[in-house]
Amino acid sequence: MTETTIQKSLFSKVFTTLKQAIKGDESFDYTVGSIKKAVILLAIPMVLEMMMESVFALVDLYFVGHLEHSSFAIQTVGLTESVLAIIYSVAIGMSMAATAVVARRIGEKDPIAAAKAGMQAIIVAFVINTIISILGVIYAKEILILMGASEDAAEHGYIFTQIMIGGSLCIMLLFLINGIFRGAGNAAIAMKSLWLANICNIILCPILINGFGPVPAFGLTGAAIATTLGRSIGVLYQGYHLFFGNGALKIKISYFIPDFDQIKALVKIAAPGVLQFVIASCSWIFLAQLVATTGGDHGSAGYQTALRIMMFFILPAWGLSNAAATLVGQNLGAKQIDRAEKSVYTTARYNVIFMATIMVITLCFGKYIISFFTNDELVKTIAVEALQIMSIGFIFYGIGMVLINTFNGAGDTWTPTGINFFGFWLFQIPLAYVLAKHFNMGPTGVFIAIPVAETAITLASIFFYKRGKWKRIEV
């Protein structure tokens, strides 16, 4: 076989795999065959899915960053996203439980039980989010002030916060239903739903923020309307494929009748998963408040700008690490522990390469990236410093994500909850406070505490991974 023929054959295999990953193929069995191919088939749509989730905040940030009183607008978007992180935590916790149970049932070749479990998770999420949405709409202004926003900033942006939290059910469902699809091995549907939601958001944002023809300019409020509408359209797309799609999951209306035994089993997995991410989210909220009180409106806006850009890079890595959750869940369901372990190592290797590349990009080109999102020179200076300091720990972030998703995919949600409690509340928060207040480092102290704590969390995750409790969890 000539070298040219070999190259053509290799290119053909790569192209076929990429096409299969993006198109989606629930008939592929992730419990047999090449682990590398399994990781790629799951990781590509998951990475693209998380890139789209991160684009929501960046699109809002870009358009509101060029409004009058942009420091108020950027701060409002950032602080609201910090509060929404609690809703993300509930959504991610529920989606992790759904992924773990659905993947385990699919690994056991029981798609009916998988579909029933997914629908019961939706019932739980709907009840929880209704309460959160009502409280968010009523207390939006007070929430912004509590987060460290000035009275003027809160008055300027509270309607944005009301709309975002009030419409957060679509956030919850977007995460949760995508978790169900990922557990079934169809990460492509999850990816496409977020692509559709983002395309709608990108089209609607400039129209509703700046006005177009008969549509008036809503300013900052327009960003909230556009984002909520975009996510809602994504959820409608998911619903269509749940009920009328050709995948392994066949949904019936009867599956929405509450099954309290199934709900209890899901909550048992989801509760520590939710707590796990609430712990992390509350830590980020505290850090945002600490930056706002020590750095003022410009310091807060700079930090929020850097954070949104950092999340743009980290969320795709989280998507890649989600491949480990599905592979671990399905292979444990098929009683193939060695294959589950190999899947973890393969996914971690890919994530390290990705995060190392991103670290170099942010360190070398951070200033140019920041300049695209804001015209305020003081905000730029703080944002560049924050982004470059936080990016130092990117490689450790990448490893830690894979291990956390390994525990969660196995249904061992208590281990990462304990790790997060130690890493964020007993280490990151005190360290940030001491550096910012006691050593008078202000926002810089907060920036330094982030990669230091993430490194400690990764080291703890490695320790518990090697102990192997996750291999013996029953769900």
Side-chain angles (χ1 to χ4, degrees):
M1 186 179 290
T2 65
E3 184 176 342
T4 303
T5 304
I6 293 172
Q7 288 177 344
K8 286 182 178 179
S9 177
L10 179 61
F11 176 80
S12 177
K13 287 181 179 179
V14 171
F15 179 78
T16 301
T17 301
L18 289 174
K19 183 179 177 181
Q20 189 177 359
I22 293 173
K23 185 178 179 181
D25 182 7
E26 283 192 54
S27 65
F28 185 85
D29 191 342
Y30 293 98
T31 62
V32 296
S34 168
I35 291 176
K36 287 184 179 179
K37 182 176 181 180
V39 171
I40 291 170
L41 285 176
L42 287 169
I44 289 175
M46 287 178 178
V47 167
L48 293 173
E49 174 195 348
M50 289 295 104
M51 283 182 68
M52 288 300 98
E53 180 58 43
S54 61
V55 164
F56 274 115
L58 285 188
V59 170
D60 289 349
L61 186 65
Y62 173 79
F63 286 110
V64 304
H66 294 81
L67 290 172
E68 189 179 359
H69 305 300
S70 64
S71 65
F72 285 168
I74 292 173
Q75 184 182 20
T76 298
V77 171
L79 293 179
T80 301
E81 282 289 320
S82 295
V83 175
L84 285 173
I86 295 177
I87 295 171
Y88 293 146
S89 299
V90 177
I92 293 170
M94 288 303 304
S95 71
M96 284 187 324
T99 298
V101 176
V102 170
R104 193 70 69 98
R105 299 294 88 83
I106 292 293
E108 294 167 355
K109 314 305 181 190
D110 190 352
I112 293 176
K116 288 180 178 179
M119 297 312 100
Q120 296 302 306
I122 290 177
I123 293 172
V124 176
F126 187 86
V127 173
I128 293 172
N129 198 82
T130 299
I131 299 170
I132 294 173
S133 296
I134 292 171
L135 293 174
V137 170
I138 295 172
Y139 297 107
K141 188 183 296 185
E142 289 79 4
I143 288 170
L144 287 174
I145 293 172
L146 182 65
M147 288 289 295
S150 64
E151 288 281 353
D152 288 342
E155 182 64 35
H156 185 80
Y158 79 93
I159 296 177
F160 174 92
T161 305
Q162 282 183 324
I163 295 171
M164 292 294 287
I165 300 179
S168 60
L169 178 62
C170 59
I171 297 175
M172 183 83 73
L173 291 177
L174 207 54
F175 270 98
L176 177 56
I177 298 174
N178 278 351
I180 293 168
F181 281 125
R182 284 194 296 269
N186 194 345
I189 293 295
M191 171 197 71
K192 291 171 185 175
S193 66
L194 276 167
W195 274 90
L196 176 61
N198 265 285
I199 290 170
C200 293
N201 185 43
I202 290 168
I203 293 171
L204 291 171
C205 254
I207 294 173
L208 295 175
I209 292 173
N210 301 316
F212 182 79
V215 180
F218 290 98
L220 179 60
T221 301
I225 298 171
T227 301
T228 302
L229 284 175
R231 283 181 167 137
S232 299
I233 292 169
V235 171
L236 291 175
Y237 175 83
Q238 292 174 320
Y240 173 81
H241 282 277
L242 270 179
F243 285 96
F244 307 109
N246 298 317
L249 299 180
K250 305 297 183 183
I251 306 303
K252 298 179 180 179
I253 295 296
S254 62
Y255 296 171
F256 285 96
I257 298 172
D259 179 342
F260 292 103
D261 288 336
Q262 179 69 76
I263 288 174
K264 184 179 177 181
L266 280 165
V267 170
K268 185 178 179 181
I269 300 172
V274 171
L275 180 60
Q276 172 190 146
F277 286 93
V278 166
I279 287 169
S281 299
C282 288
S283 175
W284 287 104
I285 289 172
F286 178 86
L287 297 185
Q289 196 269 347
L290 189 58
V291 170
T293 53
T294 59
D297 287 341
H298 285 90
S300 179
Y303 171 65
Q304 295 298 340
T305 300
L307 200 58
R308 299 283 79 75
I309 293 169
M310 187 181 83
M311 293 308 295
F312 174 77
F313 292 122
I314 283 184
L315 280 174
W318 182 262
L320 200 162
S321 69
N322 272 332
T326 299
L327 290 171
V328 165
Q330 291 200 12
N331 282 292
L332 289 180
K335 309 300 181 187
Q336 298 197 59
I337 296 175
D338 288 345
R339 184 177 173 83
E341 286 187 290
K342 289 177 182 177
S343 300
V344 174
Y345 287 120
T346 302
T347 307
R349 184 165 65 249
Y350 291 159
N351 221 20
V352 165
I353 294 170
F354 176 78
M355 291 303 285
T357 304
I358 297 306
M359 182 179 71
V360 172
I361 291 172
T362 52
L363 287 174
C364 296
F365 304 105
K367 180 171 66 174
Y368 306 103
I369 297 171
I370 296 292
S371 296
F372 182 74
F373 292 97
T374 178
N375 298 323
D376 191 307
E377 291 300 324
L378 187 54
V379 171
K380 282 184 192 177
T381 301
I382 297 169
V384 170
E385 179 191 18
L387 181 62
Q388 292 183 334
I389 291 174
M390 291 189 294
S391 67
I392 292 171
F394 273 6
I395 292 176
F396 285 99
Y397 299 168
I399 298 171
M401 287 175 202
V402 174
L403 296 180
I404 292 295
N405 271 304
T406 296
F407 298 134
N408 290 328
D412 179 17
T413 48
W414 276 114
T415 294
T417 300
I419 292 171
N420 278 1
F421 179 74
F422 163 78
F424 288 116
W425 285 11
L426 299 184
F427 186 54
Q428 185 183 67
I429 289 176
L431 178 61
Y433 186 86
V434 168
L435 292 177
K437 297 276 193 175
H438 183 71
F439 290 99
N440 296 316
M441 296 177 70
T444 303
V446 177
F447 307 155
I448 292 171
I450 292 171
V452 173
E454 291 288 351
T455 300
I457 288 169
T458 297
L459 294 175
S461 299
I462 292 171
F463 172 78
F464 284 103
Y465 172 81
K466 290 186 175 296
R467 290 186 65 181
K469 175 186 172 184
W470 59 276
K471 302 174 190 177
R472 301 183 293 274
I473 297 293
E474 295 291 333
V475 301

